[in-house]
Amino acid sequence: MSSLALYPGSFDPLTYGHADVIARASRLFDRVVVAVLVNPGKAPWFTADERAAMIQEACTGLRVDVVTFDGLVAELARRQKASAIIRGLRGATDFDYERQMALMNRHLNSDIDTVFLMPAMEFGHISSTLVKEVVSLGGSVSGLVPPKIEARLQQRRAGSDGIRQD
Ligand code: PNS
């Protein structure tokens, strides 16, 4: 039976850290499904469909599918018949939150285990939240996100696509 891993997150937007985790997961599992949460707590800069499309484009060439979802990750994992949930672990500050989430997901679906993957050292400081903060304040995020995503972020900041008007 082929192995399937589910990688859930907000991905608002995908960073090189996420992309590195996806590449690592795709070497460990036959299939990786990246699951984009429709409504993360913080108002997202991009719709779930926009985030999914950006991930799909950045993952060209990998055995990766991208879906959007609302509701429980544990239920999605059951529906997709996933054997693992993937989460990236950048360092100790991620650990408590991730540990709690992994145990809650196992409580909700005892068939599922969480596999933590560490992105490469050079991506350890990247988060979508910081990327958006840097863009908001006029900084460059080159080297932190793929060039096309950087362009989308700059467009959104400028309000040139008519959605974000700071
Ligand atoms: O990239 P993020 O924002 O850290 O991802 C968080 C995410 C989407 C994995 C988490 O918020 C989540 O699993 N949301 C779905 C709702 C759910 O299943 N909650 C219980 C998990 S403990």
Side-chain angles (χ1 to χ4, degrees):
M1 210 177 90
S2 67
S3 59
L4 193 158
L6 190 68
Y7 181 23
S10 306
F11 304 107
D12 186 44
L14 176 98
T15 67
Y16 275 138
H18 296 129
D20 187 66
V21 167
I22 293 169
R24 288 171 197 282
S26 74
R27 290 199 288 270
L28 294 172
F29 294 89
D30 296 316
R31 206 175 132 229
V32 175
V33 174
V34 179
V36 179
L37 181 66
V38 171
N39 284 317
K42 315 143 263 184
W45 276 33
F46 299 100
T47 67
D49 287 342
E50 287 172 325
R51 284 176 269 145
M54 288 188 274
I55 296 168
Q56 195 78 69
E57 187 171 8
C59 293
T60 305
L62 295 175
R63 287 183 314 277
V64 170
D65 294 313
V66 187
V67 298
T68 60
F69 80 104
D70 218 349
L72 290 172
V73 165
E75 283 306 317
L76 180 66
R78 202 190 306 277
R79 285 201 301 278
Q80 295 268 349
K81 299 187 173 36
S83 55
I85 291 173
I86 301 290
R87 291 289 289 169
L89 208 52
R90 286 164 300 194
T93 47
D94 286 340
F95 182 74
D96 275 343
Y97 171 62
E98 293 298 337
R99 176 182 169 278
Q100 242 185 325
M101 235 176 10
L103 292 175
M104 182 57 78
N105 282 326
R106 187 189 281 161
H107 171 85
L108 295 168
N109 176 353
S110 57
D111 293 333
I112 201 85
D113 267 301
T114 300
V115 173
F116 295 108
L117 294 176
M118 220 165 253
M121 286 268 278
E122 67 258 39
F123 303 134
H125 60 299
I126 308 177
S127 73
S128 300
T129 302
L130 281 184
V131 161
K132 286 179 287 190
E133 183 172 325
V134 170
V135 170
S136 298
L137 298 172
S140 164
V141 290
S142 167
L144 307 181
V145 298
K148 284 189 179 165
I149 295 183
E150 186 184 357
R152 295 292 305 274
L153 283 160
Q154 299 296 356
Q155 272 174 5
R156 188 99 344 159
R157 172 177 185 262
S160 59
D161 53 11
I163 295 174
R164 188 180 171 84
Q165 304 289 341
D166 278 340

